[in-house]
């Protein structure tokens, strides 16, 4: 079984959108090495699409640390002491989930930028790079056009 067949098999067995995107990126790299540029571009575009949707989901998760919608509900929970214990536990879980999402973002952002640079080097076209920044109360994903120039 050659590398392409193994990667296609791996793609069918992925468990998440991020895994699927990484396998598709690898398919693109193998196709590029085999001098199938149109196939490489197809797989890189698919990988970029899947990884972008995963990054957007992770940004939403990284920004979601609020337990209450208003200050009044927070005051009410403090006033009714026993319920506050459950709220604190929920807040801790949300903060932990947000931190895991931030770590995943830090891993995926270079992959997306690498995909964009690969397309730029191969075809002179780019899907754009991503920049992930922390706003005042949330994380933001900003697309940067054109992608950073390919290293020489």
């Amino acid at each position: 079984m050659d590398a392409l067949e193994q990667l296609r098999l791996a793609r069918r067995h992925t468990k998440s959108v991020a895994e699927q995107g990484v396998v598709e990126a690898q398919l693109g790299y193998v196709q590029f090495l085999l001098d199938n540029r149109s196939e490489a571009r197809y797989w890189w575009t698919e990988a970029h699409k899947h990884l972008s949707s995963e990054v957007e989901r992770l940004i939403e998760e990284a920004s979601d640390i609020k337990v209450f919608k208003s200050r009044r509900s927070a005051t009410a929970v403090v006033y009714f002491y026993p319920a506050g214990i459950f709220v604190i536990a929920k807040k801790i879980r949300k903060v932990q989930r947000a931190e895991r999402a931030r770590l995943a973002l830090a891993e995926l952002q270079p992959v997306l930028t690498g995909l964009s640079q690969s397309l730029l080097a191969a075809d002179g076209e780019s899907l754009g790079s991503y920049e992930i920044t922390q706003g005042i109360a949330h994380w933001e994903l900003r697309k940067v056009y054109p992608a950073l120039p390919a290293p020489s």
Side-chain angles (χ1 to χ4, degrees):
M1 188 181 286
D2 67 344
L4 280 175
E5 289 304 315
Q6 288 181 348
L7 285 169
R8 286 187 180 118
L9 180 65
R11 184 174 177 264
R12 286 195 295 266
H13 294 289
T14 56
K15 295 179 181 156
S16 69
V17 175
E19 284 181 7
Q20 184 177 356
V22 170
V23 171
E24 288 168 345
Q26 297 302 317
L27 276 164
Y29 292 124
V30 170
Q31 291 287 5
F32 182 76
L33 291 172
L34 294 173
D35 206 27
N36 298 330
R37 289 184 181 233
S38 62
E39 281 292 311
R41 179 164 180 71
Y42 169 77
W43 287 115
W44 286 336
T45 304
E46 287 295 304
H48 196 276
K49 179 176 68 174
H50 288 117
L51 291 173
S52 295
S53 69
E54 181 67 8
V55 165
E56 289 169 8
R57 185 192 66 77
L58 287 170
I59 282 183
E60 189 175 303
E61 194 171 303
S63 300
D64 182 26
I65 57 170
K66 275 188 159 184
V67 177
F68 297 112
K69 302 293 184 214
S70 71
R71 291 180 188 247
R72 287 183 188 178
S73 54
T75 305
V77 166
V78 170
Y79 184 71
F80 298 109
Y81 168 70
I85 294 171
F86 297 109
V87 172
I88 289 171
K90 184 175 182 180
K91 177 70 171 185
I92 289 170
R93 282 193 304 272
K94 279 194 158 202
V95 168
Q96 288 173 338
R97 190 177 324 128
E99 185 60 27
R100 283 192 302 270
R102 283 188 205 106
L103 291 172
L105 281 170
E107 293 175 0
L108 283 180
Q109 190 264 341
V111 174
L112 278 170
T113 301
L115 280 170
S116 189
Q117 288 179 345
S118 296
L119 281 164
L120 184 63
D123 290 344
E125 292 184 33
S126 173
L127 296 174
S129 291
Y130 283 91
E131 181 177 84
I132 300 169
T133 58
Q134 184 174 9
I136 293 171
H138 60 285
W139 288 78
E140 297 174 351
L141 178 69
R142 190 169 64 98
K143 205 163 190 179
V144 181
Y145 288 102
L148 301 171
S152 49

